[in-house]
Amino acid sequence: MNIFHKTQKKETRKLPMTGKVKKGFRYYCAAVLSVTAVFAMSTTAFAASDPLTVVNNLSDFIFGFIRAIGLILLGFGIVQVGLSLKSHDPSQRANGFLTLAGGVIITFAKEILTLITG
């Protein structure tokens, strides 16, 4: 008794596309990529007079980005611990607490580095 028929072969074919449609699609793709490139590359850069200010601003930006990643990990760790308490899964609970601890450390990385360096 054969339930599954493996003898049927299905063919896949490309949809027919005329030369004008292909050419139009190429122009459309080129236009979209050009507009995207123009908007992506047209950012205004304001120069500061003091190089130390530039370095401090860059440092603040990088640590702000790291803090955002830490907060995301912190939230994910809280969700993971909550789900593990619901499902009574000890390995997921351990992973949740590790993610929570990592999120706290990453969130306060700048303050921790300031405490270490003095």
Side-chain angles (χ1 to χ4, degrees):
M1 182 168 164
N2 191 1
I3 297 174
F4 300 105
H5 300 287
K6 294 184 182 180
T7 58
Q8 295 177 357
K9 291 186 180 180
K10 294 184 180 179
E11 289 185 29
T12 57
R13 286 184 254 162
K14 289 184 180 181
L15 292 174
M17 188 181 284
T18 62
K20 287 185 178 182
V21 175
K22 282 184 184 179
K23 194 173 186 179
F25 185 68
R26 285 185 194 135
Y27 285 144
Y28 172 75
C29 289
V32 168
L33 287 174
S34 300
V35 170
T36 304
V38 166
F39 281 119
M41 293 179 191
S42 63
T43 57
T44 306
F46 297 108
S49 59
D50 187 22
L52 194 58
T53 307
V54 175
V55 172
N56 287 335
N57 288 342
L58 181 63
S59 173
D60 289 340
F61 173 74
I62 290 172
F63 277 115
F65 187 69
I66 290 171
R67 176 165 291 194
I69 292 172
L71 287 172
I72 291 170
L73 279 174
L74 194 64
F76 181 69
I78 291 170
V79 169
Q80 203 169 11
V81 168
L83 288 174
S84 71
L85 290 173
K86 180 182 175 189
S87 66
H88 303 290
D89 187 7
S91 64
Q92 186 180 4
R93 190 174 306 143
N95 285 339
F97 280 118
L98 287 174
T99 305
L100 194 68
V104 168
I105 290 171
I106 292 173
T107 301
F108 297 110
K110 185 174 183 179
E111 288 79 10
I112 292 169
L113 287 174
T114 305
L115 278 173
I116 291 172
T117 58

